[in-house]
Amino acid sequence: MTRLIFRRLALGLVTIACVYTLTFVMVITIPGNPFQQGDRTMAPEVEQALHARYDMDNNWLYFWQFLKGAAHFDFGPTYTYNDWTCAQVIGSALPVSVMLGLLAILIAVAIGVPIGVLSATRQNTWIDVSGLLFVLMGVSVPVFVTGSVLLTTFAVWLHVAPVGGWGTLAHLPLPAFTLALPFAAYIARLTRTGMLDALSADFVRTALAKGVSSRRVAWRHALKVAFLPVLSYLGPATAQAMTGSFVVEKVFGVPGLGQHFVNAALNLDSGLLLGSVLVFSAILVALNLLVDVLYAWLDPRISEAV
Amino acid sequence: MFSKVLLVCAAGLSLLAGAYALTSSEPRADFSYVNSYGIHTLDPARMSWTNDFRIALNIWEGLTSWDPRTMEPIGAAAEFPPEVSADGLTYTFTIRSDARWSNGDPVTPRDFVRGWRRGLEPGTATDYTFLIADNVVGAADYVSWRRDAVAALTTLSRLRDGWDVDADQARALSKQPYLGEVQTAFDEVRDPSEPLDPSTDGEPLARRLNDADLDFERLYANAYAAHVAALDRKFAEVGIEASGDGTLTVRLANPCPFFLDLTGFPVFLPCHQSVDLLRLSAAGSPITEEGLVVYDPQWTKPDYRREGYPGLVTNGPYRLASWTFKRRARLTVNPHHRLASDITCRTVDMLVYENISASIMAYEAGDVEFLPGMNVPYEHEIARLAQTGERPDFHLCTVLATYFFNFNCADQTVQGRPNPFVDARVRRAFALAVDREAVVNNVLMRGDRVATSFVPPDSIPGYDPPDGLRHDDDEARRLIADAGFPNGTGLPAIELLYTPNDERVCQAVARMWEDTLGARVELRCKESKTFAEDKANRAYMIARANWYADYGDPTTFLDCLTTGNGNNDSGYANPAYDDLLTEARLTRDPAARAGLLRRAEAILVEQDLPILPMLHYVSPIAIKPYVKGVYPNPRLWFPFRFIEVTR
């Protein structure tokens, strides 16, 4: 187990280093001046001095200085929001994204797994067909459509939820549910496939033959096996839900990290951009590691195989 | 295994609960409004966005302010009106004896000097330095002296640290007459057999500096010390003087009839002395290694404590109570302000909705009382609702702003090809061929006003802009033929540069130019950063542009097109135009001055056409009917102290 963790950790660091280097190269090759905000032209002397102040006049220096700062979660100043540091911006947005992502994944599991199990146990009935329809909808309808529909229905017509923003419990359900739908659909499909396989396995037939009720067989025996592919999907899914919620954030006005990531790229806010890329990739690597470890913990055969 | 899964879920839930504890809630404010873009900065010296001005001018107070109904200057932190000398060059402001900072300290003239100096310093100042530099005696000199020094110190610090410098950096060393020792070192670096002009020959100079075996450590230290020693002496030459008896004397370089309009502007706001506690610099010195004046950018936070800093102290009717990044800023009445007891709207929330449609929904749902902007794809529908009176709470504010096209006036494009727009007849033909009525009424449908002049008409008292050119296809064809391109033959492909927001307007005008003049127009839509770069490099023939007035005088528009002005993107240069503006600057009689400015503008919009004015913007705003005291005005200036919520 320890060996597995160390190996994954080392691999993860290499991944982050590659991502950082690639992003860095892209950041320095994009045309434009990050200090230029708005329409007016900046005095060239001041621009040079600012570049020098942040070591941006020398790419090598910038590359290492930024990395050195990043090790202490110091990503320098933002050029778009002068009064905040990148660390503050990321620090204020990260908990929001993490919370939204986690809640979305919990909702996705809570919806997706039962639908998958029911679809599999009632194969080819109307339940299965509706489950399939749900999967199709969830995967193919973009979140900005579901988000807008939910927003209009619950916030504007029924007045049971605020229109957007963040800060109270009432702000949570709509964006979390919207974000959860595509994941729920995918989880439902994975569960259904896994369940169909498991239900035709020998141990299920044995259990049924011993007189165990079919419901118990499905939920206690078959799901245990069928859940493993879902679990391995949960790692990348959680990371994706935490980091890829840009559209949902935009629709519901949620102050998460996704918007900063996109805006930083548009504004050439190099510190914020590199900072969020580092944080995003660290989350991805960490969650993948976590899933590997969990997997090994749940199914001890795995760690021996690795 | 299932218990294990449950354990994992429980861990997830507790993490969620932990994260949730980081968010909080507070009771609703008396008045809430939406700022879709968040705050860029609350540093008055640095800000340049209307949204930031709105907050700043409610929490700070300059020497003057504006009446939101008439936009006339009114008194604020100083007695009004100030004493003005007979020649109009010296203004003496007496700071009100009851002017107080939000911590109870009296506001002093020195606070204004501190604030204005921040507005001039490279490092703190940005877009609006020119408002001080162009008007106050000695200020422009100080700014260029500081900028040159910053450039030289940057170069020397790089050389000292062993890094190579580039041509621009090397050139910076040539402008330093007082850095005597650097000059000597320069002469050593120079090869006498190969004469070198340091102001132009950056490349060879950089090569030699990089190869030179000089004691840059010592050179840098001496130059730095010399500059620091001269700082306050040089600033004393700037015409801003605080006296012990509570007066601030400002000496102007030219009579400036709109000076009291300017003094309410953020760059002229005072700055509390505590801010100096957060100056970042090389040890024991007021400036950084590069020569910049830099402050810990966190000084604008109400809850920032460090090295005795008490958190943001301001002197306006309101103070900043809390500020959550990109979510909310809450203002409460400044208890020490002289009007504190008269203000009925005690708390104001600025809420951030990045998505403007969502902010409109929030308004409809009653979550906010005021939307100071509704720039959404269905703007035309909002304009219709406002114009027909179907929604009496929607208003269209005429903004002091013009949307126009720049013609590149250079004789060659950056690719070195001949540029047809060097000929004023071609520019005029292109201007005449555009049917702006059609663009405004059939394409945009936002209720904007058609523009034939650069300065919006009926918006600046005492000034009537010239008529400009109207749509006339026949005259356009005649002019283009005159210029040697009958029916467009011989015209190169016309590059039209714009940003994604201009798509519809640009397609429409391109079609008009194609139909009327036979021109072939290449539409080049660029993302705004790349657009800005192309524009700065003049890599275009025609480019979209807009200009928002900074103050209530025609020169805020007309100065943009003087020769060599930093905002003169078309590269236009006409000495007759410059002369008229200079003459106006020296004229004190308002009517004569307006006449001169009108003649200058007529050169722009009737004769030379370096720009093609398209429209003057309107901005839709929404105010709940139960809110009184929000006055729609062209500068979108909404002081909260006038607001009364009668819900």
Side-chain angles (χ1 to χ4, degrees), chain B residues 479-496:
Chain B
L479 275 169
I480 202 86
D482 259 12
F485 308 105
N487 299 318
T489 22
L491 265 185
I494 307 299
E495 293 167 354
L496 175 57

Side-chain angles (χ1 to χ4, degrees), chain B residues 327-376:
Chain B
R327 271 185 239 180
R328 198 183 69 167
R330 170 161 288 199
L331 313 186
T332 55
V333 168
N334 169 6
H336 299 285
H337 193 265
R338 61 178 191 283
L339 299 169
S341 52
D342 304 340
I343 298 173
T344 56
C345 178
R346 306 300 290 184
T347 48
V348 176
D349 265 354
M350 179 215 80
L351 301 170
V352 178
Y353 285 83
E354 286 246 316
N355 179 344
I356 301 180
S357 289
S359 74
I360 295 178
M361 284 199 252
Y363 174 83
E364 298 293 59
D367 292 348
V368 294
E369 276 83 35
F370 176 44
L371 299 175
M374 291 188 276
N375 303 82
V376 281

Side-chain angles (χ1 to χ4, degrees), chain A:
Chain A
M1 188 80 137
T2 338
R3 235 187 84 207
L4 171 111
I5 295 179
F6 273 113
R7 250 181 67 172
R8 285 299 155 100
L9 216 55
L11 267 175
L13 283 179
V14 173
T15 314
I16 295 179
C18 290
V19 170
Y20 172 69
T21 312
L22 268 176
T23 319
F24 188 88
V25 170
M26 283 190 260
V27 165
I28 59 172
T29 41
I30 308 175
N33 167 19
F35 298 109
Q36 179 73 57
Q37 304 290 343
D39 271 348
R40 289 164 205 266
T41 330
M42 189 174 218
E45 301 89 358
V46 179
E47 192 189 315
Q48 268 184 30
L50 284 172
H51 272 100
R53 181 168 167 72
Y54 300 118
D55 296 320
M56 289 171 73
D57 55 342
N58 186 306
N59 291 330
W60 272 116
L61 199 59
Y62 186 44
F63 184 90
W64 292 114
Q65 292 295 351
F66 188 86
L67 212 55
K68 235 163 80 185
H72 319 97
F73 204 66
D74 172 10
F75 307 111
T78 73
Y79 312 118
T80 329
Y81 311 106
N82 290 307
D83 307 3
W84 302 81
T85 63
C86 290
Q88 283 176 322
V89 171
I90 295 174
S92 86
L94 190 61
V96 174
S97 290
V98 167
M99 190 157 113
L100 189 63
L102 271 185
L103 191 63
I105 288 300
L106 286 178
I107 295 177
V109 173
I111 300 176
V113 170
I115 290 181
V117 172
L118 286 176
S119 300
T121 49
R122 311 270 199 289
Q123 202 186 354
N124 301 330
T125 63
W126 66 269
I127 295 182
D128 189 20
V129 173
S130 346
L132 217 68
L133 205 67
F134 169 77
V135 169
L136 206 66
M137 294 266 290
V139 171
S140 48
V141 178
V143 285
F144 59 83
V145 174
T146 34
S148 306
V149 169
L150 289 176
L151 198 61
T152 318
T153 316
F154 290 99
V156 180
W157 289 344
L158 301 176
H159 290 290
V160 290
V163 173
W166 196 252
T168 64
L169 269 182
H171 286 120
L172 269 175
L174 287 187
F177 187 75
T178 310
L179 186 59
L181 273 184
F183 295 107
Y186 197 73
I187 288 174
R189 210 178 70 185
L190 279 178
T191 315
R192 182 177 177 272
T193 321
M195 282 297 281
L196 285 178
D197 279 348
L199 286 174
S200 58
D202 291 342
F203 73 94
V204 168
R205 204 175 318 129
T206 315
L208 286 173
K210 277 168 72 182
V212 183
S213 78
S214 59
R215 175 177 302 184
R216 202 177 153 81
V217 168
W219 289 95
R220 298 296 305 250
H221 297 251
L223 182 56
K224 235 186 205 181
V225 178
F227 192 69
L228 280 177
V230 175
L231 186 72
S232 57
Y233 168 65
L234 280 186
T238 312
Q240 209 189 329
M242 285 176 185
T243 56
S245 53
F246 170 68
V247 178
V248 174
E249 284 173 22
K250 190 92 188 161
V251 171
F252 291 97
V254 175
L257 201 46
Q259 49 159 348
H260 298 312
F261 190 45
V262 175
N263 289 341
L266 291 177
N267 296 327
L268 292 184
D269 201 335
S270 41
L272 194 53
L273 186 57
L274 288 169
S276 21
V277 166
L278 278 178
V279 168
F280 274 166
S281 45
I283 291 181
L284 267 168
V285 165
L287 282 173
N288 276 319
L289 179 73
L290 188 73
V291 165
D292 284 344
V293 172
L294 274 181
Y295 216 86
W297 181 51
L298 289 173
D299 188 348
R301 284 172 303 179
I302 307 271
S303 82
E304 282 149 30
V306 173

Side-chain angles (χ1 to χ4, degrees), chain B residues 292-347:
Chain B
L292 296 167
V293 169
V294 182
Y295 290 79
D296 180 343
Q298 315 246 37
W299 72 271
T300 54
K301 311 282 175 55
D303 50 358
Y304 192 62
R305 305 277 184 276
R306 215 197 75 186
E307 296 172 20
Y309 185 67
L312 180 66
V313 179
T314 59
N315 72 328
Y318 290 85
R319 63 189 186 89
L320 188 63
S322 66
W323 178 13
T324 336
F325 179 69
K326 277 252 176 171
R327 271 185 239 180
R328 198 183 69 167
R330 170 161 288 199
L331 313 186
T332 55
V333 168
N334 169 6
H336 299 285
H337 193 265
R338 61 178 191 283
L339 299 169
S341 52
D342 304 340
I343 298 173
T344 56
C345 178
R346 306 300 290 184
T347 48

Side-chain angles (χ1 to χ4, degrees), chain B residues 114-196:
Chain B
R114 186 179 299 111
W116 294 23
R117 188 166 180 180
R118 290 185 89 253
L120 290 175
E121 280 294 343
T124 45
T126 46
D127 291 349
Y128 286 100
T129 304
F130 78 95
L131 287 183
I132 309 178
D134 287 359
N135 292 303
V136 177
V137 157
D141 268 354
Y142 180 76
V143 170
S144 62
W145 176 76
R146 285 283 289 128
R147 282 182 182 165
D148 289 346
V150 162
L153 289 174
T154 305
T155 305
L156 284 173
S157 73
R158 273 332 196 200
L159 288 165
R160 177 200 58 180
D161 296 345
W163 296 102
D164 283 358
V165 294
D166 61 23
D168 283 337
Q169 288 174 321
R171 216 174 279 132
L173 287 183
S174 65
K175 291 192 238 169
Q176 292 305 313
Y178 69 94
L179 304 174
E181 213 175 344
V182 178
Q183 197 60 54
T184 331
F186 241 32
D187 294 337
E188 279 172 35
V189 177
R190 277 185 188 186
D191 180 355
S193 64
E194 189 187 332
L196 197 67

Side-chain angles (χ1 to χ4, degrees), chain B residues 406-410 538 540 560-565 567-574 610:
Chain B
N406 269 314
F407 292 117
N408 188 345
C409 297
R538 303 239 165 88
Y540 69 90
C560 296
L561 284 151
T562 52
T563 308
N565 186 294
N567 296 305
N568 184 345
D569 293 319
S570 64
Y572 174 64
N574 181 347

